[in-house]
Amino acid sequence: MATLRHSYIAGVGHYVPSRVVKNAELETMMNTSDAWIQERTGIQERRWFEEGTDTTANMGANAARKALEMAGVDANDVQMIVFATLSPDYFFPGSGVLLQRELGITNNCPALDVRNQCSGFVYALSVADQFVRTGMYDTVLVVGSEIHSSGLDKSPEGRGVSVIFGDGAGAVVVRPSTTEGQGILSTHLHSQGEFAEELIVKEPGSNRDNRVQYILDNQADLYPYMNGQNVFKHAVVRFPQVIKEALDQNGYQPQDVNMLIPHQANLRITQYVQQKMGLTDDKVFSNIQRYGNTTAASVPIALSEAVQEGKIKRGDLVCLAAFGSGFTWASALIKW
Ligand code: UT7
């Protein structure tokens, strides 16, 4: 088989809503404390969207504009959109077509929505990589965008989940690499459906006689449920596993990694993974302190900030890794 070309990330950008919600504000809604949240998760504040200003699609579009600008690509030259979210604007259609409209893309390019929760962005990046590697497309826009805050239980019952999640968006432009050895080296995707209900928003499920009536009668099921301890237990196993899988496939050791960008699930999970991989502080990027867990948006927001802050340079070995609801987990190894 002929060697396929590599794809690379030509541009990256992010957008977060302007409203900052500190832990102290959550103390007024649910029986929680700044001390508990910081100690158990590392989170100090997160962003919540502004109704009438932010939507999942337009936040994604704001991030995408920055990524397109960095890549020097006109929106109408995008040949495919891959949009990862668990909080779409509508039940259907997906947010990809809304983003296409928002960006003024009139070339009728395909828009694909990906539903893999915290792993959504890495899954979406992998899809883009396949299309570019095979030569089908030259320019794929990959977006992760989430609005959690409108769907959280902000009463005391919701504290186990609601303190964690935040809103935001990130995007990358994937193009064929023109530099030998540069680009996405490999991606690795996994899932284990036996744990589907461990982190879930169950309703509105379609498998009801009358799902609309059902949600009116069972409002609590509309909120996310998480078996936090079990999710944590699996996360600290799967993160190192899927990172090692990427390194092994490409003949690298953990010490070769210049920057690990993990999905920002919990600072304690990241610290455990860092220790397990034997990585120094400067090689692991964390911004959960400021944004909480933004699921499909967390990896591209972190990647965008790391690039903006000069922490990733061309030629660096960068590893993206994620784990979340499904369970799903994934990694991507990139020669930047
Ligand atoms: O994004 C991808 C997937 N998500 C994750 O990876 C998240 C994984 N899980 C976690 O990050 C952690 O399990 C949590 C941060 C969600 C919870 O931390 P934990 O250390 O596992 O706490 P816990 O659920 O065992 O709860 C400990 C105590 C309980 O009280 P009792 O039973 O010991 O009296 C909880 O009721 O903390 C209580 N608690 C809270 N207290 C204050 C739970 N949530 C809160 C809260 N504020 N927000």
Side-chain angles (χ1 to χ4, degrees):
M1 197 174 85
T3 313
L4 297 174
R5 61 186 186 171
H6 275 122
S7 73
Y8 86 118
I9 293 178
V12 54
H14 71 280
Y15 168 86
V16 291
S18 55
R19 181 170 172 213
V20 177
V21 177
K22 294 189 177 298
N23 292 343
E25 190 175 338
L26 300 186
E27 287 177 358
T28 66
M29 303 173 195
M30 43 194 107
N31 182 19
T32 189
S33 68
D34 177 39
W36 189 96
I37 299 170
Q38 288 210 46
E39 186 193 315
R40 302 290 179 124
T41 71
I43 300 167
Q44 296 167 9
E45 59 189 42
R46 74 286 294 138
R47 303 298 177 101
W48 281 4
F49 89 124
E50 297 281 353
E51 189 183 344
T53 300
D54 298 310
T55 68
T56 298
N58 79 18
M59 293 193 333
N62 289 339
R65 282 188 196 96
K66 293 177 192 164
L68 289 165
E69 191 187 332
M70 179 176 164
V73 169
D74 187 80
N76 261 295
D77 291 332
V78 168
Q79 292 172 305
M80 182 187 201
I81 294 161
V82 190
F83 196 118
T85 187
L86 61 69
S87 51
D89 303 72
Y90 302 135
F91 202 81
F92 72 84
S95 292
V97 293
L98 304 179
L99 173 118
Q100 183 197 46
R101 182 174 65 190
E102 185 76 29
L103 289 176
I105 298 175
T106 51
N107 62 10
N108 301 134
C109 72
L112 173 71
D113 275 45
V114 164
R115 298 192 47 179
N116 291 87
Q117 302 70 247
C118 302
S119 308
F121 178 80
V122 184
Y123 266 70
L125 182 67
S126 170
V127 171
D129 181 45
Q130 310 313 310
F131 275 101
V132 173
R133 278 167 76 94
T134 57
M136 177 97 175
Y137 297 125
D138 281 343
T139 306
V140 182
L141 177 60
V142 183
V143 178
S145 181
E146 305 281 15
I147 293 178
H148 282 285
S149 60
S150 59
L152 298 173
D153 179 359
K154 292 166 186 158
S155 75
E157 288 74 46
R159 66 178 185 173
V161 172
S162 300
V163 301
I164 296 168
F165 293 111
D167 305 340
V172 299
V173 176
V174 179
R175 307 211 66 216
S177 169
T178 51
T179 307
E180 180 70 25
Q182 180 195 46
I184 298 172
L185 304 180
S186 61
T187 55
H188 306 268
L189 312 179
H190 297 283
S191 64
Q192 193 174 13
E194 98 183 70
F195 297 110
E197 282 79 20
E198 292 294 81
L199 176 44
I200 186 172
V201 174
K202 209 167 184 177
E203 306 298 344
S206 53
N207 55 346
R208 307 273 178 211
D209 278 346
N210 182 336
R211 66 184 183 229
V212 175
Q213 192 57 48
Y214 186 86
I215 61 168
L216 292 173
D217 295 342
N218 297 271
Q219 290 173 21
D221 283 349
L222 289 166
Y223 292 124
Y225 163 81
M226 172 165 69
N227 180 352
Q229 287 187 2
N230 199 28
V231 175
F232 194 105
K233 222 169 66 187
H234 285 264
V236 294
V237 173
R238 296 308 190 184
F239 268 109
Q241 232 173 43
V242 80
I243 295 166
K244 187 168 182 304
E245 185 183 348
L247 294 174
D248 285 352
Q249 172 149 337
N250 295 284
Y252 286 111
Q253 302 295 319
Q255 60 267 26
D256 298 322
V257 173
N258 296 105
M259 188 56 77
L260 172 66
I261 308 272
H263 161 54
Q264 309 287 304
N266 181 321
L267 193 60
R268 286 190 296 141
I269 293 176
T270 298
Q271 286 166 344
Y272 182 91
V273 173
Q274 174 180 346
Q275 186 215 348
K276 180 102 184 153
M277 307 298 303
L279 299 174
T280 50
D281 286 352
D282 58 320
K283 291 186 167 185
V284 182
F285 194 84
S286 288
N287 61 6
I288 191 170
Q289 299 89 334
R290 288 177 286 121
Y291 301 130
N293 178 344
T294 59
T295 54
S298 98
V299 169
I301 294 174
L303 183 65
S304 175
E305 287 201 334
V307 169
Q308 221 170 49
E309 292 168 21
K311 291 182 173 162
I312 296 176
K313 296 173 292 300
R314 286 289 168 207
D316 280 357
L317 190 65
V318 177
C319 187
L320 314 181
F323 174 87
S325 161
F327 292 147
T328 59
W329 61 103
S331 64
L333 195 66
I334 304 168
K335 194 82 176 157
W336 193 258

